[in-house]
Amino acid sequence: MAMWKKISSWMFILGIVIALVAGLIFGAVADGRIDPVDDDVRGGIEVILGILGFVAGVLVLMGRGTITEKEMPMFMMATIILIALSAVTSLQNVKWFGPYLAHIIYALGIFIAPLAGLIAIKAIWDVGKD
């Protein structure tokens, strides 16, 4: 059991790190600082983030993830805030770091969305089964 929690923890950290690095790269492309990244590369990074988030969510549903029942409401609130931030289109216009911030939030959203979706489905299931 402890092995799965360790794997889940490392998977979560890896997803966050990949999302941060990808967001910085995507932001640098949007800001014109580096040459555009091939769409296949960008899509591959997005798929990797989505798969990591999905697997982390499945581990949470199995009770072997890093997010406990007690932490789920706080995690879901943070997810809602992340989604609200991603809807703020004016972030792109903030001088110097706007494109970077917008794309970091975008990449984190891709990682967190499947995880939050699975937790939301579990919550709906738990409410509905009683």
Side-chain angles (χ1 to χ4, degrees):
M1 181 82 149
M3 177 187 75
W4 284 108
K5 287 212 183 268
K6 187 169 277 213
I7 289 171
S8 177
S9 176
W10 279 107
M11 187 178 305
F12 196 81
I13 291 169
L14 180 65
I16 297 293
V17 169
I18 290 172
L20 290 173
V21 172
L24 289 173
I25 292 170
F26 298 160
V29 169
D31 201 26
R33 303 234 182 242
I34 62 174
D35 291 333
V37 178
D38 186 23
D39 286 341
D40 291 338
V41 173
R42 184 179 177 125
I45 293 170
E46 292 167 346
V47 166
I48 289 169
L49 286 171
I51 290 171
L52 281 173
F54 182 78
V55 172
V58 168
L59 288 173
V60 168
L61 292 182
M62 292 172 35
R64 294 187 168 115
T66 56
I67 301 169
T68 63
E69 291 282 336
K70 184 179 175 184
E71 296 169 332
M72 281 187 194
M74 184 173 38
F75 175 80
M76 294 305 283
M77 182 63 74
T79 301
I80 292 168
I81 292 169
L82 187 67
I83 292 168
L85 279 174
S86 69
V88 178
T89 57
S90 61
L91 284 177
Q92 286 278 23
N93 301 328
V94 176
K95 194 170 185 169
W96 295 308
F97 62 88
Y100 300 97
L101 182 59
H103 285 86
I104 287 171
I105 291 170
Y106 168 77
L108 283 171
I110 292 172
F111 171 64
I112 296 297
L115 181 61
L118 289 172
I119 291 173
I121 290 168
K122 181 185 184 307
I124 291 169
W125 179 265
D126 289 345
V127 168
K129 73 178 182 182
D130 291 336

